[in-house]
Amino acid sequence: MQTDELAANLDTYKELEDKRIWDYLQSHNDYLNKINAINLDDAGTFQLGKCELLYSRARLYASLIAGHYRKLQKYHEAMAEQAQADMFESVRKGEYDALFKTGVDGQYLSRKAKGKQLEKAAQYEGDYIRWTGIANSYESAINSLKDMVKGVKNENHGGV
């Protein structure tokens, strides 16, 4: 595969990934809007069950979004290692700058290159943690809804 062809394929892949994450976000928000439309104060078992299902689906999309950010985090962590190795090799071969050729120079400059990628990875790690937390919070909502359904059933059968 030629370099231009590979770059075009990577651009196409990135566009697909961008569209996919956008679709995940839209689906997630659609489920939240449906959940918010349900009046829990007057909801019966059917509506509570429906709300439980909607939370399960929102949780799925939150997990998919978290996975997307985790993938980007891992990608930039790997790129950090590659950037460090490439920079060190470039410096040691004298390709970077005639003034920087020693192993110490290579270590210093390669750490800078690695740091730039790790900074990006850290941003994605934060997004991953946030979306994982969102997905986990939906599990608590689902459990609360299950308790509400049990309560409604008890009320309907003469319980307190």
Side-chain angles (χ1 to χ4, degrees), residues 79-90 110 113-114:
M79 291 305 296
E81 296 297 326
Q82 187 64 43
Q84 183 178 21
D86 290 346
M87 179 59 82
F88 184 80
E89 183 179 345
S90 175
S110 67
K114 181 179 183 178

CSV table of all heavy atoms in Angstrom, one decimal, residues 79-90 110 113-114:
chain,number,residue,atom,x,y,z
A,79,MET,N,1.7,6.0,21.0
A,79,MET,CA,2.4,7.0,20.1
A,79,MET,C,3.5,7.7,20.9
A,79,MET,O,4.5,8.2,20.4
A,79,MET,CB,1.4,8.0,19.5
A,79,MET,CG,0.5,7.4,18.5
A,79,MET,SD,1.4,6.6,17.1
A,79,MET,CE,2.2,8.0,16.4
A,80,ALA,N,3.3,7.9,22.2
A,80,ALA,CA,4.3,8.5,23.1
A,80,ALA,C,5.6,7.7,23.1
A,80,ALA,O,6.7,8.3,23.0
A,80,ALA,CB,3.8,8.7,24.5
A,81,GLU,N,5.4,6.4,23.2
A,81,GLU,CA,6.6,5.6,23.2
A,81,GLU,C,7.3,5.6,21.9
A,81,GLU,O,8.5,5.7,21.8
A,81,GLU,CB,6.2,4.1,23.6
A,81,GLU,CG,5.7,3.9,24.9
A,81,GLU,CD,6.7,4.2,26.0
A,81,GLU,OE1,7.9,4.0,25.9
A,81,GLU,OE2,6.2,4.7,27.1
A,82,GLN,N,6.5,5.6,20.8
A,82,GLN,CA,7.1,5.6,19.4
A,82,GLN,C,7.8,7.0,19.2
A,82,GLN,O,8.9,7.0,18.6
A,82,GLN,CB,6.0,5.4,18.4
A,82,GLN,CG,6.5,5.3,17.0
A,82,GLN,CD,7.4,4.1,16.8
A,82,GLN,OE1,7.1,3.0,17.3
A,82,GLN,NE2,8.5,4.2,16.1
A,83,ALA,N,7.2,8.1,19.6
A,83,ALA,CA,7.8,9.4,19.4
A,83,ALA,C,9.1,9.5,20.2
A,83,ALA,O,10.0,10.1,19.7
A,83,ALA,CB,6.8,10.5,19.9
A,84,GLN,N,9.1,8.9,21.4
A,84,GLN,CA,10.3,9.0,22.2
A,84,GLN,C,11.5,8.2,21.4
A,84,GLN,O,12.6,8.7,21.3
A,84,GLN,CB,10.1,8.4,23.6
A,84,GLN,CG,11.4,8.5,24.4
A,84,GLN,CD,11.1,7.9,25.8
A,84,GLN,OE1,10.2,7.2,26.1
A,84,GLN,NE2,12.0,8.4,26.8
A,85,ALA,N,11.1,7.0,21.0
A,85,ALA,CA,12.1,6.2,20.3
A,85,ALA,C,12.6,6.9,19.0
A,85,ALA,O,13.8,7.0,18.7
A,85,ALA,CB,11.6,4.8,20.0
A,86,ASP,N,11.6,7.5,18.2
A,86,ASP,CA,12.0,8.1,17.0
A,86,ASP,C,12.9,9.3,17.2
A,86,ASP,O,13.8,9.6,16.5
A,86,ASP,CB,10.7,8.6,16.2
A,86,ASP,CG,10.0,7.4,15.6
A,86,ASP,OD1,10.5,6.3,15.6
A,86,ASP,OD2,8.8,7.6,15.3
A,87,MET,N,12.6,10.1,18.2
A,87,MET,CA,13.3,11.3,18.5
A,87,MET,C,14.7,11.0,19.0
A,87,MET,O,15.7,11.6,18.5
A,87,MET,CB,12.6,12.2,19.5
A,87,MET,CG,13.4,13.5,19.9
A,87,MET,SD,13.7,14.6,18.5
A,87,MET,CE,12.2,15.4,18.4
A,88,PHE,N,14.8,10.0,19.8
A,88,PHE,CA,16.2,9.5,20.3
A,88,PHE,C,17.0,9.1,19.1
A,88,PHE,O,18.2,9.5,19.0
A,88,PHE,CB,16.0,8.4,21.3
A,88,PHE,CG,17.3,8.0,22.0
A,88,PHE,CD1,17.9,8.8,23.0
A,88,PHE,CD2,18.0,6.9,21.5
A,88,PHE,CE1,19.1,8.4,23.5
A,88,PHE,CE2,19.2,6.5,22.1
A,88,PHE,CZ,19.8,7.3,23.1
A,89,GLU,N,16.4,8.3,18.3
A,89,GLU,CA,17.2,7.8,17.1
A,89,GLU,C,17.6,8.9,16.2
A,89,GLU,O,18.7,9.0,15.7
A,89,GLU,CB,16.3,6.8,16.3
A,89,GLU,CG,17.0,6.2,15.1
A,89,GLU,CD,16.1,5.2,14.4
A,89,GLU,OE1,15.0,4.8,15.0
A,89,GLU,OE2,16.4,4.8,13.3
A,90,SER,N,16.7,9.9,16.0
A,90,SER,CA,17.0,11.0,15.1
A,90,SER,C,18.1,11.9,15.7
A,90,SER,O,19.0,12.3,15.0
A,90,SER,CB,15.7,11.9,15.0
A,90,SER,OG,16.0,13.1,14.3
A,110,SER,N,13.9,13.4,23.5
A,110,SER,CA,12.9,12.3,23.3
A,110,SER,C,11.8,12.3,24.4
A,110,SER,O,10.7,12.0,24.1
A,110,SER,CB,13.6,10.9,23.2
A,110,SER,OG,14.1,10.6,24.5
A,113,ALA,N,9.3,14.9,23.3
A,113,ALA,CA,8.4,14.3,22.3
A,113,ALA,C,7.3,13.4,23.0
A,113,ALA,O,6.1,13.4,22.6
A,113,ALA,CB,9.2,13.6,21.2
A,114,LYS,N,7.8,12.5,23.9
A,114,LYS,CA,6.9,11.6,24.6
A,114,LYS,C,5.9,12.4,25.4
A,114,LYS,O,4.7,12.0,25.4
A,114,LYS,CB,7.7,10.7,25.5
A,114,LYS,CG,6.9,9.7,26.2
A,114,LYS,CD,7.8,8.8,27.1
A,114,LYS,CE,7.0,7.7,27.8
A,114,LYS,NZ,7.8,6.8,28.6
